Amino acid sequence: QQRRQQQPPNPRRLSQVTGHLLQQTAEKIDRTRACAGGALAQLLAAGRDAGPLSCIPHRQQLESVFCQDSGCGFYAAHEVGQDDRSTEYDTGEQAAESLATGTPSVDWMAASVSFPRVAPLVLLAPYRHRVLTGLIVSVGGMTESLVRHASTSLTETLNAMQDQDVLKAIATELVAVLEANDHNDRIVVPLFKTCDILMTSGCFDMLLMPTAESDVHPTESDAASPPGFALSLFSLCKAEIHRCTDVKKILASIDVFCGLLACSDAIVTRKVLSQMALFLCHRYPRVRRATAEKLYVALLSLEKLGTPEAMTILTTVSWCVLKGYVHRRIDSKTSALRQPSNNNCATSATSTTATT
């Protein structure tokens, strides 16, 4: 046992433990965030003064979030009566102010306090996957205040990011979270909602609508490179809803597909329109109606795709009727909807190439 105590901790294992705790500080359960915040504060306190835990990656940035100026404050939640949200904080030696915000203590159970502190940690590469996973669960939660604070903190962090390389890394990590949680609805459905919020807020505009000519028109040398963010996200979303019978999950994916229509890549746009045409023929009336409504709204903001014939089809067909002759009518009309859209994509790509 003495030999184990003298042995320095494994830096890789220490980084993994810190990442898991950071994920819990971004989770949707209040008590979990409070417990994880207190544990991280104690872990960082043990790493001060060149201690055995001083090799935690980005320790100074983490201390500015979790620690106090004089001594490291840790927060222990205690039940008071029957109210689960009533807490007392054991901060040890009370500090004058926080290194980051100037406040004397941090209430990790309050979403308005915890998420603005945790969301910027997605910029730290060693912890990006874990922090994103925790934020995704919170952004896709059911409580209005939780969703509002978590989504606002994340969108503000990404919108303030001017480095396109870091933004690409965050988008790649978002796709990696979806790939790592294949058919895990606890993560997948909130992730669909998170992607919809981020694309609606314009966080990924630099990736979906690049201004550089090399990004819009890849060269032959880029043919062997990995697929971009939009194509990877589309492929994984399509695989997730394959033979899916969960209406809530399908509806969440429709929002993602509509967001991808803004992509400047004609290939991605054509694939998305084909998938939406399939949704218009779905066996569930709720899916058909939601697809028509959301696709109509998306096409209104995209003049290059919204042809008059397509808009007329989306507004005139009764998408909730289940009779056989209506199904035949829908099939004929969705084929007409898909063909002009594809031709329009090709025309748009050709005109862009001729201009350049």
Side-chain angles (χ1 to χ4, degrees):
Q1 185 176 0
Q2 293 180 355
R3 188 176 300 175
R4 287 183 178 178
Q5 292 177 354
Q6 294 176 359
Q7 198 173 32
N10 187 342
R12 183 165 175 258
R13 180 61 60 85
L14 192 59
S15 177
Q16 291 176 349
V17 171
T18 306
H20 282 284
L21 287 175
L22 286 173
Q23 177 180 343
Q24 299 305 315
T25 60
E27 279 280 0
K28 60 182 179 181
I29 303 176
D30 297 340
R31 289 183 175 275
T32 302
R33 293 198 305 271
C35 190
L40 265 172
Q42 297 181 61
L43 185 66
L44 293 169
R48 287 186 172 183
D49 302 326
L53 300 179
S54 60
C55 58
I56 298 176
H58 301 284
R59 184 171 60 86
Q60 292 182 353
Q61 291 91 327
L62 295 178
E63 283 184 353
S64 68
V65 176
F66 293 94
C67 295
Q68 306 292 333
D69 284 335
S70 58
C72 189
F74 56 94
Y75 311 93
H78 305 283
E79 288 188 4
V80 180
Q82 301 297 325
D83 188 2
D84 289 341
R85 296 184 58 86
S86 300
T87 59
E88 296 177 355
Y89 297 101
D90 179 13
T91 60
E93 183 181 356
Q94 293 293 335
E97 60 182 13
S98 173
L99 294 175
T101 62
T103 55
S105 62
V106 180
D107 183 3
W108 291 104
M109 293 186 69
S112 60
V113 176
S114 58
F115 288 108
R117 285 173 167 263
V118 175
L121 297 179
V122 298
L123 305 179
L124 305 180
Y127 310 122
R128 185 171 295 143
H129 184 91
R130 291 296 172 184
V131 175
L132 265 180
T133 304
L135 287 173
I136 284 169
V137 175
S138 298
V139 172
M142 301 297 294
T143 308
E144 181 181 358
S145 61
L146 175 73
V147 174
R148 183 176 69 254
H149 292 299
S151 59
T152 301
S153 301
L154 183 57
T155 53
E156 288 179 352
T157 300
L158 297 184
N159 282 328
M161 173 56 53
Q162 300 297 327
D163 191 344
Q164 188 172 359
D165 293 334
V166 177
L167 190 62
K168 282 183 179 180
I170 294 175
T172 301
E173 202 64 56
L174 191 67
V175 174
V177 172
L178 178 58
E179 189 173 7
N181 294 274
D182 183 27
H183 291 90
N184 180 7
D185 289 352
R186 179 184 176 272
I187 303 295
V188 171
V189 176
L191 191 144
F192 285 166
K193 297 180 181 178
T194 303
C195 290
D196 174 47
I197 292 174
L198 294 180
M199 289 188 288
T200 304
S201 303
C203 297
F204 292 145
D205 283 353
M206 287 193 297
L207 303 181
L208 296 177
M209 295 176 288
T211 56
E213 182 179 355
S214 59
D215 292 335
V216 179
H217 305 290
T219 60
E220 294 181 359
S221 60
D222 297 331
S225 61
F229 164 70
L231 185 57
S232 299
L233 182 60
F234 169 80
S235 301
L236 290 173
C237 289
K238 185 176 180 179
E240 280 291 333
I241 61 173
H242 180 62
R243 295 184 178 180
C244 177
T245 58
D246 186 356
V247 176
K248 184 184 298 184
K249 186 176 182 179
I250 297 174
L251 295 179
S253 70
I254 294 174
D255 293 327
V256 179
F257 290 133
C258 287
L260 290 176
L261 284 174
C263 182
S264 59
D265 190 347
I267 297 177
V268 175
T269 306
R270 189 156 46 245
K271 287 179 177 291
V272 172
L273 287 174
S274 298
Q275 181 62 46
M276 298 299 282
L278 292 177
F279 279 147
L280 290 174
C281 301
H282 201 275
R283 58 177 173 172
Y284 294 148
R286 185 179 173 187
V287 174
R288 297 197 300 269
R289 181 178 61 186
T291 302
E293 293 174 354
K294 295 177 181 180
L295 183 58
Y296 179 81
V297 173
L299 293 180
L300 280 178
S301 60
L302 300 172
E303 296 180 357
K304 65 177 183 178
L305 297 178
T307 62
E309 183 181 2
M311 307 301 278
T312 302
I313 293 172
L314 292 174
T315 55
T316 56
V317 174
S318 180
W319 299 103
C320 291
V321 181
L322 297 178
K323 293 182 180 180
Y325 72 89
V326 176
H327 276 291
R328 290 192 296 271
R329 186 186 177 199
I330 290 175
D331 291 339
S332 61
K333 285 186 176 291
T334 51
S335 62
L337 170 66
R338 183 169 17 178
Q339 187 63 32
S341 301
N342 289 342
N343 293 337
N344 207 348
C345 289
T347 304
S348 176
T350 305
S351 61
T352 304
T353 306
T355 305
T356 56

